Amino acid sequence: MLLWSLILVASAAAFGLSAVSGGGAGLLLMPLLGLVLPGTQVPAALSIGTVASSATRIISFRQAIRWDIVRHFAPTALPFAALGAWALSRMEPAYLSLLLGVFLMGNLPLLFRKPAPQVTVKTPHAIELHVLGATAGFISGFTGAVGLVFNGFYYRRGLRKEEIVATRAANEIMLHVLKIALYAEFGLLNTRASIAGIAVAAAAVLSSIIMKYLLPHLHDRLFHHIGHAAMVVAGVMMVISASSQLAR
């Protein structure tokens, strides 16, 4: 009971942090959910929570969604998410989690870099978005969370913090609905994983509602700084968790 209470509190904190860092709740919760679920069932529980969180953020920030990004991202993300979910049912996800963790830790120097000048808002090329969607879809389907890995893309395009939160939510909700169906089909979504997912979802909705009122008061530069810090923390946690799983 104590562990489930800890998951509920940690989920609320993680999704609250993800709202002010542009994502990362799933990456932060993966090690904790690994204490109550097998590694192959963690992505299913995370997807249930992420669907609830994304739906709440779409409602809260719907005016800020960049549909020019969403309409090119989703068509390639969905089939590659299916491929990632299929791969998860047949191999150990800890190897990819270890690589992603090392990649995220590479953001550490950005915490000490002087603030960059304001980036001009740019519309990404369609091919760039298709590649991004395919990569994000596969990693998300295989690990259950992609979150902060692609934040740099949004930063370099000069998106405002509200646009990042809203656009990522719109990109992810269809992705995670598809993944939940696939996880169930592949036998990765049982009763225990569903209960964990519902607990994460409840915390996600609560934190998203609170962050709706806090995010407008956060400076964009601080938003980016918190995002880089969250990437490093998530990377360290993923490396530790994946290393432990591989050692066992």
Side-chain angles (χ1 to χ4, degrees):
M1 187 63 185
L2 178 62
L3 185 56
W4 284 103
S5 299
L6 178 60
I7 288 175
L8 189 63
V9 173
S11 298
F15 276 99
L17 175 63
S18 76
V20 297
S21 65
L27 295 175
L28 295 172
L29 288 174
M30 284 173 67
L32 184 59
L33 288 174
L35 298 177
V36 296
L37 297 172
T40 53
Q41 293 179 10
V42 169
L46 286 176
S47 288
I48 294 173
T50 304
V51 165
S53 174
S54 296
T56 308
R57 292 179 188 182
I58 288 172
I59 294 171
S60 300
F61 300 102
R62 56 188 177 278
Q63 301 298 331
I65 297 175
R66 286 282 301 272
W67 293 108
D68 59 320
I69 293 177
V70 175
R71 70 170 179 263
H72 292 297
F73 179 95
T76 48
L78 294 176
F80 275 87
L83 179 62
W86 173 83
L88 176 65
S89 68
R90 284 162 171 74
M91 63 186 74
E92 173 58 58
Y95 296 102
L96 183 57
S97 294
L98 182 63
L99 293 176
L100 286 177
V102 173
F103 172 78
L104 289 171
M105 288 169 61
N107 287 276
L108 182 60
L110 297 178
L111 294 176
F112 307 100
R113 182 181 297 176
K114 291 183 178 180
Q118 184 65 37
V119 179
T120 303
V121 177
K122 296 185 290 185
T123 301
H125 296 295
I127 186 63
E128 183 182 14
L129 291 171
H130 289 312
V131 172
L132 178 75
T135 308
F138 180 80
I139 294 175
S140 183
F142 193 56
T143 66
V146 66
L148 296 167
V149 176
F150 297 101
N151 260 11
F153 168 82
Y154 297 105
Y155 293 160
R156 289 191 296 273
R157 293 301 171 279
L159 273 67
R160 296 180 294 110
K161 56 184 182 296
E162 291 86 358
E163 291 177 329
I164 293 176
V165 170
T167 303
R168 285 195 57 237
N171 281 339
E172 291 177 359
I173 190 165
M174 293 182 290
L175 196 62
H176 287 283
V177 167
L178 171 66
K179 284 162 50 184
I180 290 172
L182 291 172
Y183 291 146
E185 176 66 24
F186 296 142
L188 301 174
L189 183 61
N190 58 13
T191 302
R192 191 173 180 84
S194 298
I195 293 173
I198 291 171
V200 172
V205 170
L206 177 62
S207 65
S208 294
I209 292 173
I210 294 173
M211 288 305 143
K212 174 185 177 180
Y213 300 98
L214 294 182
L215 191 62
H217 303 289
L218 188 69
H219 193 280
D220 282 342
R221 189 168 292 171
L222 178 60
F223 176 83
H224 289 185
H225 196 73
I226 294 174
H228 292 312
M231 290 184 205
V232 175
V233 172
V236 171
M237 294 179 67
M238 288 183 72
V239 167
I240 293 174
S241 176
S243 299
S244 176
Q245 291 179 44
L246 292 175
R248 287 198 302 269

